[in-house]
Amino acid sequence: MIVRTALAQINTTVGDLDGNKRKIIEAIDRATALDSGIVLFPELTITGYPPEDLLLNTGFLRENFAVLKEIAAQTARSKAMIVLGFVDFVNEIYNAAAILQRGEIKSVYRKMSLPNYSVFDERRYFSPGAHPLLVRFGEAKIGINVCEDLWVPSGPINDQTIAGANLILNLSASPFTSQKHKTRSSLLLTRAMEYSSTIAYCNLVGAQDDLVFDGRSCVAMPDGRLVVGRAFEEDLLVLDIDTDISTRYNLFEGKRKVYSKNVSIEEVTVEPSYRETASELAVRRESELSKYDELIAALELGIKDYLKKNNFERIVLGLSGGMDSSLVAALAVRAIGKNNVKGVFMPSRITSNESRRDAMELAENLGIEILEVPIESIVDSTLKALKTTFKDAAEDVTEENWNDWKWQLKNAIKDIPTLEKVIKISEEQKKELTKVLEKFRMAITPYYAALMIQ
């Protein structure tokens, strides 16, 4: 049985129920126009991920369900099965996936494995589901699970494949870390081969505050093949999946026979939409990003979405001429364009000519406007205000000056009283130094003095 499956990798915004609804409906329309029999979305599609304390607002929970019913109504004329994430609220709240078809909510699956490590704190909000779900889709049997359900050993996929599932649909919101996609791909292929089942995995893309989601939705097959979608951008990955491949692998390898059932399973029957033969769909081969290109793409997306999702159009950056501010400015220009970035250079008496030159050249190279706002008077008034409080403390030295050989020579220690402020000197040592200084000059740079202290 061949099922055309569309993975709708969309960029949702936490709390923007109307905006997310529009994106979901647009993706459904695009997928059904391509004659897709299944349309799969990322985790918590309606609310955005992670909704966190919005989940404590019962009005928000009810509105999220109202949006689900509106989306279901939009599918009234579609024969495709839509699988999307929402928050199920029945006394407790659940991270859930809804099965929609022909205007109806056919069934709901509640995520069973709730992560509570690293950036995840789902157990704080959600209750775990109790039973895996199996969808009877004509000759195919389809297991539905959500993100972490695939990462844990013997998760819902165990019982779903024992019950005959030859296709697993996973809704995910797996955050980006450097090179994590390799671990993720390995896991999905391992699960596909371990349970002799094809896995369609739809991951979230976009950034939400301090999290970045890289997308890379994919289909992993028990024969070791892996088709991966685009990274760091929205995508609609459409594939014709032959569910008989999984069935044949299970019959050949017989792995499922020795697996033990964990819990009872829930089943629902959905009207199938399938194809007799696979069409020649263009299978995209996405080029692999290098480690550094991947980091740049993640940072760009993080900046762009942070501004967009918080309704900021332009940004102002302090430019010191150093590497940190230069990198941020370059990334900002790549993310939102040079016309939306303005630099500010704020010199004082400790600012070197090199710093001014570098800041101005950076602005010219990036094509951004730069303002020069001297802050000498502000520095002076601040030092004056703090003079009494810090009267016994030595004045700090900026790293820029510390690394400047001219500053080091200018501030060299040239007499015994100054040296005594830095290191302990015995009376005998002072006598010896006094004799030496009668014939020779002393000049100990602050850097070398710091080594003497150590």
Side-chain angles (χ1 to χ4, degrees), residues 407-418:
W407 181 91
Q408 290 283 344
L409 290 177
K410 181 180 178 181
N411 292 275
I413 299 169
K414 299 179 181 180
D415 55 61
I416 294 173
T418 305

Side-chain angles (χ1 to χ4, degrees), residues 355-397:
S355 291
R356 174 181 278 102
R357 180 200 65 202
D358 290 346
M360 296 303 168
E361 284 187 7
L362 173 73
E364 182 180 356
N365 291 338
L366 293 178
I368 64 174
E369 180 184 356
I370 185 168
L371 303 177
E372 183 168 341
V373 182
I375 58 170
E376 182 65 34
S377 61
I378 299 173
V379 172
D380 287 341
S381 62
T382 302
L383 292 174
K384 184 178 180 181
L386 298 173
K387 186 175 182 179
T388 302
T389 305
F390 294 99
K391 62 182 180 180
D392 297 324
E395 187 174 345
D396 196 9
V397 178

Side-chain angles (χ1 to χ4, degrees), residues 440-454:
F440 303 100
R441 290 184 298 172
M442 177 175 69
I444 303 173
T445 63
Y447 175 80
Y448 189 75
L451 297 178
M452 293 167 65
I453 296 170
Q454 295 174 6

Side-chain angles (χ1 to χ4, degrees), residues 110-126:
R110 294 169 173 172
K111 185 177 182 179
M112 297 175 67
S113 306
L114 301 177
N116 221 62
Y117 57 86
S118 184
V119 300
F120 304 105
D121 57 355
E122 291 193 21
R123 293 179 196 169
R124 176 185 175 193
Y125 301 102
F126 297 113

Side-chain angles (χ1 to χ4, degrees), residues 52-162:
E52 297 184 322
D53 283 1
L54 282 173
L55 296 169
L56 306 179
N57 184 331
T58 55
F60 177 77
L61 298 176
R62 293 188 180 95
E63 191 175 349
N64 132 90
F65 190 71
V67 169
L68 176 65
K69 291 194 289 186
E70 290 178 32
I71 295 170
Q74 292 284 331
T75 69
R77 294 188 299 273
S78 172
K79 59 184 179 179
M81 180 178 80
I82 315 298
V83 185
L84 76 160
F86 78 109
V87 178
D88 195 16
F89 176 38
V90 183
N91 297 321
E92 300 294 336
I93 58 176
Y94 302 89
N95 184 338
I99 316 300
L100 312 179
Q101 191 183 52
R102 295 197 181 278
E104 298 180 16
I105 301 173
K106 294 287 188 179
S107 187
V108 170
Y109 167 71
R110 294 169 173 172
K111 185 177 182 179
M112 297 175 67
S113 306
L114 301 177
N116 221 62
Y117 57 86
S118 184
V119 300
F120 304 105
D121 57 355
E122 291 193 21
R123 293 179 196 169
R124 176 185 175 193
Y125 301 102
F126 297 113
S127 294
H131 301 281
L133 176 66
L134 188 73
V135 179
R136 291 187 175 272
F137 193 81
E139 296 177 6
K141 294 180 180 179
I142 302 173
I144 310 294
N145 52 47
V146 179
C147 201
E148 188 75 3
D149 287 335
L150 267 183
W151 288 79
V152 298
S154 299
I157 189 175
N158 180 79
D159 294 326
Q160 290 166 333
T161 52
I162 288 174

Side-chain angles (χ1 to χ4, degrees), residues 405-445:
W405 66 272
K406 294 179 182 177
W407 181 91
Q408 290 283 344
L409 290 177
K410 181 180 178 181
N411 292 275
I413 299 169
K414 299 179 181 180
D415 55 61
I416 294 173
T418 305
L419 184 61
E420 284 185 293
K421 294 178 181 179
V422 178
I423 61 174
K424 291 182 179 181
I425 305 174
S426 67
E427 288 300 322
E428 186 178 348
Q429 288 173 326
K430 279 198 284 187
K431 289 179 183 178
E432 293 296 326
L433 278 172
T434 301
K435 290 179 181 179
V436 171
L437 292 178
E438 288 175 357
K439 294 184 178 181
F440 303 100
R441 290 184 298 172
M442 177 175 69
I444 303 173
T445 63

Side-chain angles (χ1 to χ4, degrees), residues 235-412:
D235 192 14
L236 186 69
L237 181 62
V238 182
L239 290 174
D240 284 346
I241 297 175
D242 185 352
T243 58
D244 283 345
I245 291 176
S246 299
T247 303
R248 288 195 295 270
Y249 263 81
N250 178 56
L251 293 174
F252 176 71
E253 297 184 335
K255 292 179 180 178
R256 299 179 193 170
K257 296 175 183 178
V258 298
Y259 296 158
S260 300
K261 188 175 181 180
N262 295 323
V263 294
S264 61
I265 197 165
E266 295 180 352
E267 294 191 16
V268 63
T269 300
V270 172
E271 180 185 346
S273 174
Y274 59 92
R275 310 171 70 83
E276 296 296 336
T277 57
S279 298
E280 289 296 325
L281 290 173
V283 177
R284 287 183 274 111
R285 300 295 180 187
E286 297 300 321
S287 58
E288 181 77 10
L289 293 173
S290 71
K291 179 180 178 180
Y292 297 106
D293 286 338
E294 182 187 54
L295 288 172
I296 290 171
L299 290 167
E300 282 184 37
L301 181 57
I303 293 169
K304 183 177 182 179
D305 270 10
Y306 182 84
L307 296 172
K308 180 180 179 181
K309 294 178 181 182
N310 287 284
N311 294 317
F312 296 123
E313 295 180 359
R314 294 179 294 277
I315 59 174
V316 178
L317 296 171
L319 298 181
S320 67
M323 289 188 293
D324 293 342
S325 61
S326 298
L327 175 60
V328 173
L331 288 169
V333 168
R334 289 173 64 118
I336 61 174
K338 64 182 181 181
N339 294 329
N340 296 314
V341 180
K342 181 178 290 188
V344 179
F345 179 66
M346 297 179 288
S348 70
R349 65 175 178 270
I350 63 172
T351 303
S352 68
N353 291 331
E354 289 82 2
S355 291
R356 174 181 278 102
R357 180 200 65 202
D358 290 346
M360 296 303 168
E361 284 187 7
L362 173 73
E364 182 180 356
N365 291 338
L366 293 178
I368 64 174
E369 180 184 356
I370 185 168
L371 303 177
E372 183 168 341
V373 182
I375 58 170
E376 182 65 34
S377 61
I378 299 173
V379 172
D380 287 341
S381 62
T382 302
L383 292 174
K384 184 178 180 181
L386 298 173
K387 186 175 182 179
T388 302
T389 305
F390 294 99
K391 62 182 180 180
D392 297 324
E395 187 174 345
D396 196 9
V397 178
T398 65
E399 184 177 355
E400 180 180 25
N401 283 341
W402 185 259
N403 293 324
D404 184 351
W405 66 272
K406 294 179 182 177
W407 181 91
Q408 290 283 344
L409 290 177
K410 181 180 178 181
N411 292 275

